[in-house]
Each structure stands twice: as C-alpha cells, then as structure tokens.
Amino acid sequence: MKILISLIVCLGITSAWGQVIPEDRVLAVEELAAALKPDIRVELSKDGQLTEAKLAAYFRAFFAEHFFYDYRSVPARLAHYQGRYDNQTGHTERALDHLGKYPDSTQWVLPFDYQNGEAVNAYALRHLARQHKMVDIAFLYFADGKDPRYIRYFETQMRSLNAALVAGQYEKIADGNGVFEVFRAGYRILNWLWIHNLFLNEPEYSDRDQLITIATLLQHGQHLYARNPSFRPGNHQTRGMAALALLGIMLRDFQGADAWRERAMARLGEHLEREINPDGFQFERSVHYHMSDINNYFYVYQLSNLNDIPVAEAWTAKLRQLFTTLAKIAYPDGSAPVLQDDTDNPWAEKNDISGAMTLGYLLFEDPVYGYFATDKVEERMYWYLSQRQVDMLEDIRRKKPPFGSLALTDTHYYLMREGWDKNDKVMIITAGLDEEKPDHQHGDMLGIQAMANGQVILPNYQVRYSLKDFDFFKNSLVKNVALVDDQMLGQEWTGNKGGSGFGKFRKLPEPEVLSWESNDAFDLFIGRHNGFEDIGVDHYRQVIFIKDDFWIVRDRFTADKQHAYHQVWQGHYTLEEGPNLLRATFPDASGVDILQIRALDTVVQDGRRGKAWSRVSKTGLDNFTFFTVIYPYRGYSHRIDESKKAPDIGNWRVNQSDWEIIGDRPISLTRQAVGYFFGVRKMKKGLINIECAQAADLYVEEIADKIRVYAIGFEPCILKWEHYTGRRGPAREVKPGRYVDIPK
C-alpha cells in the first residue's frame, strides 16, 4: 500500500541550526516532502497528494537526466565495463571479504570484532566508513544473478549507521577515526551515490529504499555543510567538499541544498587557490595526492558541466594546470616518479598516471594529455563519465609533449630531461618542504630519482600507511640522498591519533635552492639544507646533467671535526671496484654505473621488501666532497671499462685535458672543444690565461671567436682573464649558472 506523504505533518522538522534538514538524524520518508523547495513541492502535488511512489519516480527521472549517466543504461554500460576491465574476480573477492567481516547491521565505534572474532582496528574502521567495498557488493549483485540479499545488505548497513548516529554510538572526529570526518563522509557519499544510481532500475530497490538513501544523503550533506564553514588545509576537506558539491547539484530541489553547493564551491575554490601551487603541483608534493585532487575537482567540474552550471574560469585554468604539471614531471614511458607519500602500490618504483591523464583528455581534448592516455580510465572513474566520453576512448589523439628540462619553482621539483623517446634520460630532484602541511613529506631532501633506457635506474618506493615499516620506507636509507654519521633526514617520528598507521616526521630539513640553469649543454642544480646543522655539518648538493650523456653528483660536507660521510644509492648493485664503482644491470642488458672519481673507504649493502641499496662512505675527515658519476649505458661494450686504471666515461676523457690546470685536487672531464673543470684556480691554454680568486668549478666551451666560461660551482666565482698579447678582462663575479665570454 502506498504511503501518503502529508505536507502538514512535516512542517515542524526545522532543526536547531535553523535548517529544514537536520544533521543529527535522518529524515523519515514521510518528512521528505516538507524539506523540498516550496515550488517543487507544489508542482509535484498539483495532481493530488504527493505519494511515496510519485516522489521516488520524480527523483529517478531527475537522476536519469542530471547524474553522470542515465541509470537506465546500466545493463549496457555494465557489459562494456566488464569487457574492458575484466575485473569481476577482484570485485567478488573484495565483496566477500567485506561480507565475511561485517554483519549487515554493524557497529560503528571501537572496540568491536569482525564476525570471525578478531578485533577490528582503527585502519579497518576507517575503510568501513568509506564504504568502498560496498561498491564491490553492488557489482556482486549483478554478477550473482541479482540476488536481492546484496541490496538488502547495503540498505541495512546504511541504516545501521543512521541508527548509530541517533544513539551517538559512532566513532567521533575527536578520536581521530571519525565516521563522519569530512574525508570519510565525502568518500562514503561518492560511493553511495554510485551504488544508488546502479540500483535505481532494480525492483528489489523499492521506492522507499531509494528515498531512505536520499534522506541519508541529505543528513550527510547538512552535516558536512555545518562543519565546514571555513577553510582547512589538506585533501580531507577537499574530498568532503567535492561530495557536498555533488549533493548540492543532485539534491538541489531540497531546501538548503543551494547553500551546500555555494559553500562547497567556495571551499574548493580556496583549496585550488591555496593548495595548487602557482607551478601547478598540489601542495603536499605527492603524485598520489595530486591525482586525488584531480579526481575531486573532476567530479565537480564534470557534473557542473553536465548540468549547465557555470564554473569560474579560474577553476578551469587550475584544473588544466594539474594535468599539465603531471605531464611535465612524467617519465618517457608515460609513468611518473614516486614522490613523497605515494600509496597506490607499495614498493612500486613508478606511478601510473594514465588514468588521470585520460580524464584530462576527456575534459579538454588536449592531444598532449592524450599522449599519456589509454583506452580506459581508472575503474571507479568509468562510472563518472558521460556516454560521449566513453565513446571518445575509442579514438584518442596523441601528441608528444613539448616539455624539456624545467623547474617547478614553487613545489621545488627540478627535472633534467633528455627527451621523450623511450630510451631518453630523465632525473628529478626534490628540494622543497611545504610550510603548511609537510605531513606527507619523506626524509629525502635533495634526493634524486632517474630513468634511462626505459628503466628506473635510481628508484624511490611507494608506501602504505598500514605497513609496520611505513616509517622506515619514509626515511633516508631508502632514498638517493647524502647522510652524515648515522643521522637520518626525517626526525621525531610520530603516529596519528587514531592509530591507523599513518605517521609523519615532526622535524625535516629546511632546503635552499641556490642555482638552477638549463641550456643546450647542461642542466645545473645546486642546493643545500640544514639537516645536519645540529651536529655541526653543512651540506650542499650539486647535480649536473651533461646533455645527453650522464650526471655528475657532488655532495660537499664541511665541519669543524671529523665525521663519517655517506651517499645512499637505491638499486641492486654489484661491486666492480669496491665502493668506487657500483653496477646495476637490467634484463635488456642496459645498466647504470655509479663511479666515484675520488676514492672512498667502504660500501655497505642492505635491503628490505625485495629492494636493495648501497651506502658508500668516506670517514675520518672534517671536510669532504663526493664526486660521483651516474652513467647509464646500453649494452656491455658501452659500460665504464672497469679493467682500465683511469677509464673514460663514454667519449669523455677524465683528467686528460689540454688545458694546463692548477687548483685544489682539480678534476677535468673533456670532449673536443668543451670541458668541465672542478677545483680550478688557474687555467692556461695557448694565449689565454683564466684565474679564479678561489677554487671554482667551470664549464668551458670554445666557440668560433670566443671562449664561453660558465660558473657551475657551489658559490659565485671571481674570474679574470688575460691574453698574453696584453689584453685583459676585468675581474668579474660570475654567479652559478651564469657565464662570461672571453674573445680569442
């Protein structure tokens, strides 16, 4: 029997907040009509009483027209999805895992046990609150002959949360594991909207069931609205506000929903302005969180466009910038380096950005984004595409990116790039620390990663908060960094209040970038940090990319007493010449040699989780500078020949220059008319004499009618020159990365 919804009965439901929709309980189905905007209520009631069936039919029709896709296309879309992703086994495994752990009417506050008697921990509760495996149960419903018990399970578990809300028996925000915490509530809304649209065509999902879901989402919306009156940094509020914006669009016929959308858009606009750096990278400096933000903004931008709701131009510009920046940092194979708390695949050495870039292509139809795109987006995002966008996946236009070496000067990532062919070389240097929220930062200040010949030759590794060695993989022994004694760069580790596994360093080095220069001959990075000042050591790192051959990495340490100085190199290396030549080889016979031009004392090799690293050391000195060559090669004959006492580095000669050099243990690398010189005080060749006020590093190139001299050292160089014919140049201060021309 149809239940009549009385308008009169519902007039007294205004909450203490002055809102028609309360935040501390879920409206009864009979109360929904009174929560509608008056004009909608009048329109729906003009042919008589507003029945439950009529209200449910209205919202089905509204979802069909205004949601990401028409629910009536679910059978065809589901067949296409299963054919493209072939992932029902995964859905089933995750669904059965959830069904086996939790009863349909579960608890929502710790402590309580799984159905097998084991204790539910904080990490598990957070994932229960997200309800992401409930989506897998929805897919199991379709795969298992549309067994109605799966729909009933969804409905009952949702209602158990509604009951817990009224009783106050749910985990609170103050405990660190809040079930209604903005991120988890937002995640849950996204999943329940998805499930709701999947089930709308199913007889088992009755009119009343549908309206209870809508009523539950209304309570969630009002709860998020009330608790987010102002900006809070971080992706948690962003996820929640994205969900609130969707509710503001899809439930716009209810009183107060317009205010939800306005508040959500205001908060999201603030996040775009304050958390997407001017260089286009998300402020937490992680690819994972960068792509998570892309998803958050995509949901809102996409649904706004589908509903002809204008979005500010600043939104569009910032959203495009998020995709462009991913392209800027990408490896030639279309993946991206692992940066800070990247968590999708623990211990992976690359990030798959194809799904995110495919979204960029579908939104903006930019063939540069198409270069990274595939014929499918990430699985969950498929269900937020329009049919036109699904069709676009069949014919993606692609264009090689125009980006070369570059600096993201706000986030402080520095890219040294050979090009975009599959064997080209790329290195990324991390030299930033977010002042607002460094929670996701690792102990890798001035750390580097590199790819060459299609292989990640200097890796970093993805992590997972719940793993017991999360703090280890977040710190310096598994980074390509320089260290002093036994001190790591990440200090004062602390876990989060909820005990879910996430943790952060209270103390991290503060970086300073001293120089960045990119030209046709070389890329130069020079930086320092204060991570060892408490033990009286200054550290500088200099990285030079000799286009397009190899890298030089020099770590300079100065102190007033003796220390042990280290470099840590990630990879599976053999010791060709003790600590002075490490070698890693890959299945295609390419490899990387790590050559020390200045002899070291020891090397210690270690590993964990299938990963390995080597720590090379020089001990018993107050001041020391590593001089390290990172040399990628293809094939045995192109390696550094370890059988030679003074091997060449490719076609570069080491300490065999035709310049006469005086300096502090000077080192030269020369090839034809160019050379790199380190620790130089005087250089003489033919009629030209070059002098530096103190030992300096120089790049020297002989051009037709002049000699160009770049300063490439840690400090500015006071340089003067003279011809033996009597011509002289004035003493000049040449800053790192700058040059002076000397006429021949």
Side-chain angles (χ1 to χ4, degrees), residues 273-573:
E273 178 63 29
R274 298 170 65 170
E275 296 185 345
I276 308 304
N277 290 332
D279 61 27
F281 208 96
Q282 202 265 0
F283 81 120
E284 290 171 297
R285 307 184 71 249
S286 156
V287 173
H288 174 95
Y289 287 98
H290 185 96
M291 293 196 296
S292 178
D293 262 10
I294 282 177
N295 286 352
N296 289 330
Y297 297 119
F298 173 85
Y299 297 132
V300 180
Y301 189 82
Q302 170 91 332
L303 196 61
S304 296
N305 284 343
L306 292 174
N307 283 268
D308 296 321
I309 297 173
V311 175
E313 290 184 9
W315 258 72
T316 304
K318 281 283 190 178
L319 186 56
R320 286 205 69 144
Q321 199 176 21
L322 283 168
F323 295 110
T324 300
T325 301
L326 268 189
K328 287 180 176 179
I329 69 163
Y331 286 144
D333 67 354
S335 67
V338 175
L339 299 170
Q340 315 310 324
D341 273 351
D342 290 340
T343 64
D344 286 342
N345 293 294
W347 316 308
E349 299 178 2
K350 298 189 292 186
N351 275 297
D352 182 358
I353 62 172
S354 61
M357 296 304 289
T358 304
L359 291 179
Y361 178 77
L362 295 176
L363 284 182
F364 300 112
E365 301 185 38
D366 187 330
V368 170
Y369 301 161
Y371 179 85
F372 303 93
T374 68
D375 63 353
K376 54 186 179 184
V377 296
E378 187 260 329
E379 289 180 14
R380 73 174 285 118
M381 300 308 294
Y382 175 90
W383 296 94
Y384 299 94
L385 301 183
S386 68
Q387 187 57 49
R388 175 181 176 273
Q389 290 170 327
V390 171
D391 294 340
M392 285 175 62
L393 295 173
E394 303 301 326
D395 184 22
I396 296 173
R397 296 181 295 116
R398 306 177 191 277
K399 180 180 178 182
K400 189 174 291 188
F403 311 116
S405 298
L406 56 87
L408 302 180
T409 54
D410 303 292
T411 314
H412 292 298
Y413 286 128
Y414 298 83
L415 275 293
M416 297 177 168
R417 185 184 302 280
E418 180 178 5
W420 288 95
D421 291 337
K422 66 177 183 178
N423 292 324
D424 282 346
K425 306 172 187 69
V426 180
M427 177 177 284
I428 185 167
I429 305 162
T430 175
L433 181 68
D434 183 74
E435 296 180 0
E436 186 95 24
K437 192 169 178 281
D439 298 15
H440 297 291
Q441 184 99 10
H442 286 212
D444 67 341
M445 195 59 67
L446 305 186
I448 60 179
Q449 296 173 64
M451 169 176 272
N453 300 314
Q455 308 289 341
V456 179
I457 59 171
L458 291 176
N460 187 25
Y461 314 115
Q462 293 196 38
V463 295
R464 174 86 27 107
Y465 302 147
S466 59
L467 295 175
K468 292 181 178 179
D469 55 4
F470 169 53
D471 58 332
F472 179 84
F473 270 87
K474 194 162 175 168
N475 218 336
S476 307
L477 280 183
V478 287
K479 313 296 175 185
N480 299 295
V481 294
L483 301 174
V484 180
D485 299 332
D486 295 319
Q487 183 161 311
M488 300 293 105
L489 296 176
Q491 298 284 313
E492 300 180 15
W493 175 260
T494 179
N496 70 332
K497 187 175 182 180
S500 66
F502 175 75
K504 59 186 178 183
F505 297 113
R506 293 186 184 274
K507 183 179 179 182
L508 287 161
E510 296 176 359
E512 181 181 3
V513 177
L514 302 173
S515 183
W516 167 257
E517 164 68 14
S518 180
N519 57 48
D520 291 340
F522 62 84
D523 296 333
L524 170 69
F525 169 88
I526 301 172
R528 67 176 302 276
H529 66 70
N530 64 355
F532 306 119
E533 284 187 355
D534 59 340
I535 55 174
V537 179
D538 289 330
H539 171 235
Y540 294 76
R541 172 162 274 193
Q542 171 193 43
V543 183
I544 302 170
F545 181 32
I546 298 180
K547 304 269 185 83
D548 292 306
D549 279 318
F550 56 89
W551 291 276
I552 298 169
V553 179
R554 298 178 73 226
D555 288 300
R556 186 179 79 176
F557 297 98
T558 59
D560 56 6
K561 64 179 183 179
Q562 294 181 353
H563 291 274
Y565 299 120
H566 315 284
Q567 288 179 332
V568 186
W569 300 110
Q570 303 302 309
H572 293 266
Y573 295 101

Side-chain angles (χ1 to χ4, degrees), residues 673 687-688 701-707 723 727 742-744:
L687 299 176
I688 297 176
E701 180 180 6
E702 298 185 45
I703 309 174
D705 58 348
K706 60 190 172 185
I707 296 174
H723 283 272
R727 295 179 62 190
I742 301 172
K744 287 185 177 179

Side-chain angles (χ1 to χ4, degrees), residues 108-347:
W108 295 90
V109 61
L110 296 173
F112 68 101
D113 295 337
Y114 294 123
Q115 294 187 103
N116 65 4
E118 295 180 4
V120 176
N121 61 25
Y123 185 80
L125 178 65
R126 290 179 176 214
H127 282 265
L128 169 66
R130 296 180 186 186
Q131 289 283 281
H132 57 93
K133 289 184 179 178
M134 194 63 75
V135 174
D136 298 301
I137 292 170
F139 284 111
L140 182 57
Y141 164 80
F142 291 102
D144 195 16
K146 295 191 175 183
D147 188 330
R149 67 189 177 101
Y150 299 120
I151 291 182
R152 289 197 297 270
Y153 183 92
F154 160 64
E155 295 165 350
T156 306
Q157 193 154 99
M158 179 172 60
R159 292 170 193 176
S160 74
L161 178 57
N162 296 345
L165 172 68
V166 173
Q169 295 299 307
Y170 61 94
E171 202 74 25
K172 307 296 195 302
I173 294 174
D175 299 325
N177 298 310
V179 171
F180 285 93
E181 186 271 338
V182 60
F183 178 88
R184 283 176 280 283
Y187 209 136
R188 185 165 63 249
I189 289 166
L190 289 169
N191 287 329
W192 282 355
L193 278 172
W194 181 1
I195 294 167
H196 178 70
N197 208 60
L198 284 174
F199 285 165
L200 272 180
N201 214 30
E202 302 306 308
E204 182 64 26
Y205 194 45
S206 69
D207 292 345
R208 173 163 280 264
D209 295 333
Q210 295 167 32
L211 294 175
I212 290 173
T213 299
I214 288 173
T216 303
L217 292 172
L218 288 171
Q219 178 271 321
H220 276 58
Q222 184 59 29
H223 195 280
L224 285 175
Y225 173 80
R227 281 161 175 73
N228 290 274
S230 59
F231 171 85
R232 297 200 304 273
N235 69 302
H236 279 228
Q237 189 180 60
T238 311
R239 174 57 57 90
M241 292 301 95
L244 183 61
L246 300 193
L247 292 182
I249 295 171
M250 293 309 301
L251 302 180
R252 72 186 87 166
D253 290 335
F254 287 97
Q255 298 177 59
D258 291 340
W260 296 354
R261 181 181 172 277
E262 290 172 6
R263 177 162 292 180
M265 296 302 285
R267 293 293 85 78
L268 289 170
E270 291 168 330
H271 281 270
L272 277 167
E273 178 63 29
R274 298 170 65 170
E275 296 185 345
I276 308 304
N277 290 332
D279 61 27
F281 208 96
Q282 202 265 0
F283 81 120
E284 290 171 297
R285 307 184 71 249
S286 156
V287 173
H288 174 95
Y289 287 98
H290 185 96
M291 293 196 296
S292 178
D293 262 10
I294 282 177
N295 286 352
N296 289 330
Y297 297 119
F298 173 85
Y299 297 132
V300 180
Y301 189 82
Q302 170 91 332
L303 196 61
S304 296
N305 284 343
L306 292 174
N307 283 268
D308 296 321
I309 297 173
V311 175
E313 290 184 9
W315 258 72
T316 304
K318 281 283 190 178
L319 186 56
R320 286 205 69 144
Q321 199 176 21
L322 283 168
F323 295 110
T324 300
T325 301
L326 268 189
K328 287 180 176 179
I329 69 163
Y331 286 144
D333 67 354
S335 67
V338 175
L339 299 170
Q340 315 310 324
D341 273 351
D342 290 340
T343 64
D344 286 342
N345 293 294
W347 316 308

